Amino acid sequence: MSTLLVTGAAGRIGTVLRGGLPERGWAVRCLDVVPIVETRPGEEHVVADVTDLAAVTDATTGAAAVVHLAGLSGEAPWPAISHANIEGTYAVLKAARRAGVRRVVLASSNHASGFTPRPAGGQLREADAPPRPDTYYGVAKVALEALGSLYADRYGMDVVCLRIGTASAEPTALRHLSTWLSPADTVSLVDAALTAPSPGFVVVWGVSANTRNWWDLTAARALGYEPQDDAEVYAEALVEAYGEPDPTDPVHARVGGEFTLPGYDAEAVEARAAGGEHP
Ligand SMILES: NC(=O)c1ccc[n+]([C@@H]2O[C@H](COP(=O)([O-])OP(=O)(O)OC[C@H]3O[C@@H](n4cnc5c(N)ncnc54)[C@H](O)[C@@H]3O)[C@@H](O)[C@H]2O)c1
């Protein structure tokens, strides 16, 4: 078994990986700012803030690879996002380099390119979805990809950025028919990112083999990812509940979906968090 450090291991994706990666040969060392209540046999546990460089370096020492999930997983005021998501990614990459870890998998997001229009026909390749963040959260994912690129080029590390769509037990909205990443495919994708021979720096979409996929999986498959699930099995129920997706609705016309709507205006989110009005 090779030791794998998973940051944000107490969260939704972390919990899925802790369930599936051990049978693929990974002994999981969990790091999270909150303690994990239901631990699993063979796991190690570290309770620390991911921005604590000394603690993350200690946790990284002896690991073969790192999967970095920790951070705020939605929009939040800038001080919180920049601290947890940007400083956190900086600390993880620096700790990995210091500890001699050569492979880091970073949880990016479709929201790094959320304002990119979705092509009416065909699927979008990563190269055609440059940084175009829809939120401060998306800005932090752009920074995450940029930091990964720097560490790959500067230090020769393998850094795989996963632009995850919607990682959930099952699709619950029409958009998820195109953006869903199933739990089983989450494990397969991360395992492929960890084991692909010498990927260098690469950014790939993270979705299942959905019939209605907006995003092209060629680059992810080149890592060895073989998705098994398709959100289409949920389509009948979702279309019955909500109707067919309207392609002119921004939720379906842009990569980032509802995060591009006025309700996610970053300054408005900050003003609400502070209890005030949008200036
Ligand atoms: N779930 C999705 O659909 C999705 C989509 C795109 C990207 N992502 C990304 O994947 C990652 C994991 O997502 P998730 O759905 O499991 O999120 P989650 O919110 O369930 O889990 C995030 C975990 O990070 C931990 N955390 C937060 N701040 C921390 C800090 N400063 N130090 C240490 N730990 C900290 C939290 O305690 C939590 O356990 C996130 O980076 C998220 O942005 C998720």
Side-chain angles (χ1 to χ4, degrees), residues 65-66 93 96 101-106 148 151-153 155-161 193-194 196-202:
V66 178
L93 285 163
V101 171
R102 309 295 301 160
R103 178 75 56 110
V104 179
V105 176
L106 300 175
Y151 271 71
D153 281 336
Y155 303 113
M157 291 163 60
D158 288 311
V159 181
V160 181
C161 299
L194 288 168
S198 304
F201 174 74
V202 63

Side-chain angles (χ1 to χ4, degrees), residues 42 54 64 96 101 117 131-132 179 194 210 232:
V101 171
R132 201 165 172 183
T179 62
L194 288 168
N210 305 313
E232 202 60 21

Side-chain angles (χ1 to χ4, degrees), residues 1 4 6 12-28 40 43 183-192 194:
M1 300 277 271
L4 173 69
V6 177
R12 288 168 295 180
I13 294 178
T15 302
V16 165
L17 296 182
R18 289 168 48 227
L21 285 178
E23 65 194 41
R24 293 173 180 247
W26 295 102
V28 179
R40 296 171 195 250
E43 284 181 349
D185 287 340
T186 300
V187 173
S188 300
L189 177 62
V190 170
D191 191 38
L194 288 168

Side-chain angles (χ1 to χ4, degrees), residues 7-15 31-36 47-52 56 68-74 80 83-85 88 106-111 137 141 144 162-168 179 181 206:
T7 74
R12 288 168 295 180
I13 294 178
T15 302
L31 182 145
D32 204 291
V33 74
V34 301
I36 292 175
V47 177
D49 193 299
V50 74
T51 62
D52 180 342
V56 180
H68 173 46
L69 307 171
L72 302 174
S73 52
H83 176 73
N85 292 20
L106 300 175
S108 185
S109 167
N110 63 94
H111 298 294
Y137 169 73
K141 294 304 187 188
L144 170 143
L162 308 176
R163 279 192 182 170
I164 299 166
T166 307
S168 59
T179 62
L181 177 64

Side-chain angles (χ1 to χ4, degrees), residues 2-253:
S2 300
T3 297
L4 173 69
L5 176 69
V6 177
T7 74
R12 288 168 295 180
I13 294 178
T15 302
V16 165
L17 296 182
R18 289 168 48 227
L21 285 178
E23 65 194 41
R24 293 173 180 247
W26 295 102
V28 179
R29 185 180 291 162
C30 305
L31 182 145
D32 204 291
V33 74
V34 301
I36 292 175
V37 182
E38 290 181 26
T39 61
R40 296 171 195 250
E43 284 181 349
E44 296 176 69
H45 293 95
V46 179
V47 177
D49 193 299
V50 74
T51 62
D52 180 342
L53 180 59
V56 180
T57 304
D58 278 352
T60 307
T61 301
V66 178
V67 175
H68 173 46
L69 307 171
L72 302 174
S73 52
E75 183 61 324
W78 178 254
I81 284 282
S82 61
H83 176 73
N85 292 20
I86 299 180
E87 294 290 333
T89 303
Y90 160 77
V92 164
L93 285 163
K94 194 161 193 169
R97 186 191 64 75
R98 286 183 172 181
V101 171
R102 309 295 301 160
R103 178 75 56 110
V104 179
V105 176
L106 300 175
S108 185
S109 167
N110 63 94
H111 298 294
S113 192
F115 268 114
T116 299
R118 182 176 70 79
Q123 294 174 337
L124 198 61
R125 294 177 308 145
E126 295 82 351
D128 296 322
R132 201 165 172 183
D134 52 29
T135 43
Y136 289 153
Y137 169 73
V139 170
K141 294 304 187 188
V142 171
L144 170 143
E145 293 181 4
L147 282 163
S149 175
L150 173 66
Y151 271 71
D153 281 336
R154 182 66 70 190
Y155 303 113
M157 291 163 60
D158 288 311
V159 181
V160 181
C161 299
L162 308 176
R163 279 192 182 170
I164 299 166
T166 307
S168 59
E170 55 183 61
T172 55
L174 284 175
R175 178 174 177 270
H176 301 172
L177 296 174
S178 307
T179 62
W180 188 48
L181 177 64
S182 74
D185 287 340
T186 300
V187 173
S188 300
L189 177 62
V190 170
D191 191 38
L194 288 168
T195 55
S198 304
F201 174 74
V202 63
V203 177
V204 304
W205 298 115
V207 283
S208 285
N210 305 313
T211 300
R212 305 186 191 206
N213 263 350
W214 294 345
W215 306 319
D216 182 277
L217 280 176
T218 305
R221 288 182 191 276
L223 294 173
Y225 172 50
E226 292 178 11
Q228 302 297 319
D229 291 315
D230 183 344
E232 202 60 21
V233 297
Y234 299 92
E236 198 178 318
L238 285 169
V239 169
E240 193 176 304
Y242 302 111
E244 280 291 343
D246 171 3
T248 64
D249 180 342
V251 171
H252 302 291

